[in-house]
Amino acid sequence: MTRSIHRNFEQLADAESARSALLSNGFPQSSVKLTKHTTLPPNVATSTVGNLLDSLTPGGPAAAAAARQRSGAMLTVDIYDEDERDKADAIMGGFGARDA
């Protein structure tokens, strides 16, 4: 059974490099997904929920706003066992990955 791990990168280029390294180290292309951080356009529903969640974020609304401005990306990797997890973490860690 597969599980997914998620790691954030502050720079898109670092995430792209980590993705390439994962692929060259045997991870199938279908198991590695790169998602760029983007800012969603505000609307009534997202503003209401966002305000509620911002108040619950450690550091408050200012910290939540700063997090939304990240220009990096997230890599999601499907893994089958702990050995693959360790291998993926070691590869991504070499490019500055942080837990999601």
Side-chain angles (χ1 to χ4, degrees):
M1 181 160 96
T2 63
R3 295 179 306 160
S4 296
I5 58 172
H6 311 280
R7 300 295 179 261
N8 278 302
F9 294 82
E10 289 189 22
Q11 301 298 320
L12 176 59
D14 293 338
E16 290 171 336
S17 296
R19 181 181 183 281
S20 294
L22 288 164
L23 297 176
S24 67
N25 278 278
F27 285 87
Q29 188 169 357
S30 62
S31 71
V32 181
K33 180 181 178 189
L34 186 140
T35 307
K36 296 177 186 177
H37 294 303
T38 59
T39 303
L40 298 174
N43 65 37
V44 174
T46 58
S47 292
T48 301
V49 172
N51 289 338
L52 175 63
L53 294 175
D54 287 356
S55 67
L56 300 173
T57 300
R68 281 192 295 276
Q69 299 305 314
R70 292 189 295 189
S71 62
M74 180 176 68
L75 274 180
T76 301
V77 183
D78 296 332
I79 57 166
Y80 292 95
D81 57 32
E82 290 302 312
D83 289 337
E84 279 195 350
R85 178 191 179 100
D86 293 343
K87 183 178 177 181
D89 272 335
I91 292 168
M92 291 187 290
F95 294 93
R98 299 186 324 223
D99 285 346

